[in-house]
Amino acid sequence: MFDSKMADLRQGRWKKRLPLLVLKGARSGNPYDYYAVHLVDVDRNRYQLVGYKHRAVTLARWDYDVGRYLDEQRISVAELDAMQAEIIHHRSYGPVSFSGILGFSFSYRTRFAYIKTLFSRGKGKLVSTFFANKELKSRDRIALLNLLVNEYIQQRPSRLHAGVLIDEVIEMLYGKLWYKHIRNEEFRRKVRLLLKSLIITGDLAQKDDRYYVQPQSVATIVEFEKEERRVEQQDKMQRNFVRLMIVITASTALITLALLGLAGVVDLHKVWDALSNLNPFSVLMKLI
């Protein structure tokens, strides 16, 4: 009963969102805002959404022999819902991926995934302000390696081969229409440089024009994460040490002031009155 209700809910969401997903698909030609819907059936055939009309869905099947989507066929929404789906919203700042129609519909109404991405981008910009370019390049390198390892393990519907071409890597990062982006040459140079560096360290292997993930990549990611944790622990210890020194300094000052008061050197009542009547603004103006 529950499965039937969920299937009805998913199919209802598909029927509501399919016109939008087709209208703003890759064929719209806008590299800064378009959708791509990838699907896999039980026989591991891979498809891409290309049309929706009269309650029938049109899919194009990936042909491994010719290396592109061919053999368009029409299916029902129920048959579409039975497939594994991945919806990718390609934006000017990078793709936002959803593992199903329910997650996409939820974020489309609430903007949850987009707000989360916005915060992540803000965090990245903040990190780039305080960290050296060398460390940023290291982070970019590990981020790309993480992406390739996850893609190899998960084999999402949008992935077609175990090995990846440089154009496929750029597509994962910047979208299928990246070649229309004003910074497309910058994307290509950066990704090629990062891929070559990962080949040198043995994290990737290159055969013909494809790049393949190697077991060394897992060890590299683990070591990087261990180093990240070590740095975070050191930063935490330094912050705690600074707090401790502030507490010790303040305590020493209070104890010294109390001893001077007991010795009659300092009038504690006058000191307290002076502190109570202290105007921070006037102190700031005097310092200026």
Side-chain angles (χ1 to χ4, degrees), residues 147-206:
L147 174 67
L148 295 178
V149 170
N150 290 335
E151 288 292 328
Y152 174 77
I153 294 173
Q154 296 172 3
Q155 290 291 300
R156 297 187 302 172
S158 57
R159 291 293 312 120
L160 303 171
H161 300 277
V164 292
L165 299 168
I166 184 171
D167 286 352
E168 293 174 339
V169 178
I170 300 173
E171 181 180 330
M172 283 190 282
L173 293 170
Y174 304 109
K176 187 174 182 179
L177 299 182
W178 60 269
Y179 61 91
K180 290 188 176 183
H181 200 288
I182 192 171
R183 296 173 57 192
N184 64 79
E185 285 303 318
E186 179 182 336
F187 295 159
R188 179 179 286 278
R189 286 193 297 268
K190 179 179 179 181
V191 172
R192 181 184 290 111
L193 187 63
L194 292 173
L195 290 173
K196 293 296 184 182
S197 73
L198 291 169
I199 291 175
I200 292 173
T201 55
D203 298 302
L204 296 181
Q206 185 176 12

Side-chain angles (χ1 to χ4, degrees), residues 101-118:
I101 188 61
L102 294 182
F104 171 75
S105 295
F106 175 77
S107 285
Y108 187 82
R109 291 182 63 87
T110 64
R111 315 306 292 178
F112 176 76
Y114 302 96
I115 294 172
K116 181 180 177 182
T117 303
L118 181 63

Side-chain angles (χ1 to χ4, degrees), residues 39-47 78-85:
L39 304 118
V40 175
D41 64 14
V42 293
D43 297 321
R44 305 310 296 172
N45 295 313
R46 298 179 181 274
Y47 302 88
E79 292 173 306
L80 172 73
D81 182 58
M83 298 183 181
Q84 179 187 354

